[in-house]
Amino acid sequence: MSKRKRQGSELTRFWNRYRRNRLAVFGLCFLTILIIAAALANVIAPEGYDVQNYKIKFTSPNLEHPLGTDYLGRDNLVRMIYGARISLSVGFVTTILGTAVAVFIGMFAGFYGGKTDNILMRIMDIFLSIPSILLSIVLASVFGGGIVSMVLALSLGSIPGVSRMVRAMVISERDKEYIEVARTSRASDLRIMFRYILPNISSSLIVLFTMGVAGGILNASTLSFLGLGAQAPMPEWGKMLSEGRSYIRDYPYLVLAPGMVIMLTVFSLNMIGDGLRDALDPRLKGR
């Protein structure tokens, strides 16, 4: 069998395992639609997200404005679509940055053990003693408000927990036979870590990554809600929640729409993670 055919059959088996989880398929479909809408925001709403019309402020949801308008007469649906760009970008970027640093720390701590492990993990334990969202709030306050500060704060806040998990994965792999074979062939430590161990824990890292994106979006919304993330007039979902809370009694749709989208996005990413975990489980590959 050719390499291309082998890869095609592997993908087919992977998809067959993944689609057994209907919630995971729903999550993938929802996230795909969200990403496409965010990417085509300029086409869907070329007028932009900050067009104000005081004559139609606080308009309830209707055919022309499916999610109504806010206190400045801005279309909530348009702002939600543009907000998807910010929320998804922040979630993915913070997870990529945090995971990249955490992989290096966890790999070195787990592979070398001893003093290296003790020093790195004690530093991580100091940060783990502080709840991650609280740590992110403190860091965001130090860096100041704005998207860049929020990304830095969330990235740094995610490193301790992920590095701990990576360390545990590496420890479970470092004494296996294929590592001993690599050592006898005089492969360097870096080659063993990143050429042999990393690919073998990659499936777990992929699942960890999807969960991290969900957490990043949720934490970004929290920081923006508190005024430490996206600043007006940027339509970040958490910022929209913050702006609408003053009118929640008379115009509940102002907080209901962004709240539901945040909930569905986080739920979808978690379900995708569950589906990937089941599909990538080596114990199920023969089925």
Side-chain angles (χ1 to χ4, degrees):
M1 185 183 293
S2 68
K3 185 177 180 180
R4 184 174 296 179
K5 286 183 178 179
R6 233 176 9 251
Q7 289 175 342
S9 61
E10 281 293 325
L11 287 173
T12 302
R13 284 196 292 271
F14 168 81
W15 173 246
N16 288 335
R17 291 192 298 270
Y18 182 87
R19 69 179 182 178
R20 291 174 189 168
N21 189 330
R22 294 184 179 180
L23 286 176
V25 174
F26 164 80
L28 182 61
C29 292
F30 180 83
L31 188 64
T32 301
I33 293 170
L34 200 60
I35 291 173
I36 292 173
L40 299 178
N42 291 334
V43 177
I44 298 171
E47 69 276 9
Y49 59 80
D50 200 35
V51 176
Q52 302 176 15
N53 185 350
Y54 290 98
K55 294 180 180 179
I56 59 170
K57 67 178 182 178
F58 294 124
T59 299
S60 298
N62 54 49
L63 291 177
E64 187 177 357
H65 304 286
L67 296 180
T69 61
D70 64 7
Y71 64 102
L72 293 175
R74 298 174 297 190
D75 189 286
N76 282 326
L77 179 59
V78 171
R79 288 177 63 76
M80 292 285 292
I81 293 172
Y82 276 93
R85 283 184 171 183
I86 300 171
S87 296
L88 292 175
S89 297
V90 169
F92 277 98
V93 172
T94 56
T95 307
I96 289 170
L97 293 177
T99 302
V101 176
V103 164
F104 275 94
I105 294 173
M107 290 283 283
F108 279 92
F111 185 80
Y112 289 111
K115 290 183 178 179
T116 303
D117 184 23
N118 282 329
I119 292 171
L120 291 174
M121 287 302 104
R122 294 304 76 77
I123 295 172
M124 294 299 104
D125 286 343
I126 292 171
F127 290 104
L128 279 172
S129 65
I130 308 170
S132 60
I133 185 60
L134 181 58
L135 179 61
S136 298
I137 290 172
V138 171
L139 292 172
S141 301
V142 171
F143 295 141
I147 295 294
V148 175
S149 298
M150 179 169 65
V151 169
L152 288 174
L154 292 176
S155 299
L156 292 172
S158 68
I159 290 172
V162 177
S163 62
R164 268 282 181 187
M165 290 185 236
V166 174
R167 170 185 173 271
M169 296 177 203
V170 174
I171 289 175
S172 69
E173 294 288 326
R174 70 182 181 188
D175 295 325
K176 291 187 176 179
E177 289 183 4
Y178 73 93
I179 300 299
E180 294 300 324
V181 172
R183 283 197 175 106
T184 57
S185 65
R186 296 184 179 180
S188 66
D189 289 349
L190 286 176
R191 181 174 176 80
I192 292 173
M193 281 189 279
F194 295 99
R195 175 66 178 83
Y196 297 104
I197 295 179
L198 186 59
N200 280 283
I201 65 173
S202 59
S203 59
S204 298
L205 286 176
I206 291 171
V207 176
L208 201 61
F209 180 83
T210 59
M211 304 292 188
V213 174
I217 292 172
L218 194 58
N219 289 336
S221 299
T222 301
L223 291 181
S224 294
F225 183 85
L226 296 173
L228 297 171
Q231 303 298 310
M234 297 185 76
E236 200 275 336
W237 293 337
K239 186 63 179 175
M240 292 179 68
L241 273 174
S242 180
E243 292 173 345
R245 63 177 171 171
S246 300
Y247 312 100
I248 188 171
R249 179 172 296 179
D250 298 318
Y251 309 102
Y253 62 86
L254 291 176
V255 296
L256 185 61
M260 287 294 293
V261 171
I262 293 171
M263 183 193 74
L264 287 172
T265 303
V266 172
F267 175 78
S268 296
L269 284 162
N270 285 330
M271 290 303 101
I272 290 171
D274 284 346
L276 289 173
R277 180 195 60 204
D278 295 341
L280 295 170
D281 191 335
R283 293 170 296 182
L284 302 177
K285 286 189 176 180
R287 298 182 185 179

